[in-house]
Amino acid sequence: QVQLEESGGGLVEPGGSLRLSCAASGRTVNSHAMGWFRQAPGKEREIVAAINWSGGKTYYADSMEGRFYITRDNAKNTVYLQINTLRRDDTAVYYCAANTNDNTGNYYYKESDYNYWGHGTQVTISS
């Protein structure tokens, strides 16, 4: 079993930055792909970014590239999402997820590829 706990969300003014963290416990995720998703009010959950087990391969949704950065620290069993130049439409609940079923070294961008999810952290962008 893997437990994922997101943190770092909050209320931020437009133009600001945030770093979200996703700490894994119960079992190491060092050899597994991880991803960040978000769900805005009234919308479906969407992929933000994904990273393979080593951090050497990353994926960003088209609309996210340039302001979002996914990294991981396997020594800390933690994945991060840096978000810069925050905009009001970044307001959403941000979730991290782990794929513990595959060890190919790839990243994954579909929700159905992930078998463990955190409860999410709220990010609200408002002045």
Side-chain angles (χ1 to χ4, degrees):
Q1 281 288 79
V2 175
Q3 290 81 43
L4 301 173
E5 183 172 1
E6 302 94 338
S7 61
L11 175 63
V12 182
E13 291 188 351
S17 298
L18 273 179
R19 189 176 80 156
L20 307 182
S21 300
C22 172
S25 61
R27 174 180 161 184
T28 181
V29 293
N30 293 351
S31 60
H32 301 299
M34 302 287 291
W36 282 97
F37 292 76
R38 72 181 185 183
Q39 187 166 20
K43 295 187 177 181
E44 293 187 352
R45 190 155 58 183
E46 61 178 347
I47 180 72
V48 176
I51 192 167
N52 77 328
W53 74 272
S54 68
K57 298 179 183 179
T58 57
Y59 167 87
Y60 297 94
D62 286 345
S63 60
M64 314 294 176
E65 199 151 10
R67 294 191 301 119
F68 292 77
Y69 299 93
I70 186 170
T71 57
R72 66 190 300 161
D73 184 339
N74 284 343
K76 296 182 179 179
N77 224 19
T78 301
V79 178
Y80 304 96
L81 183 69
Q82 176 73 34
I83 316 173
N84 298 328
T85 319
L86 282 155
R87 308 187 309 213
R88 286 184 170 80
D89 61 2
D90 293 323
T91 295
V93 178
Y94 285 73
Y95 299 90
C96 74
N99 176 342
T100 64
N101 291 329
D102 190 280
N103 294 309
T104 64
N106 292 324
Y107 53 68
Y108 298 87
Y109 52 82
K110 295 180 181 178
E111 284 192 53
S112 57
D113 287 322
Y114 290 90
N115 54 326
Y116 288 101
W117 291 83
H119 294 296
T121 184
Q122 176 70 48
V123 172
T124 303
I125 311 306
S126 176
S127 53

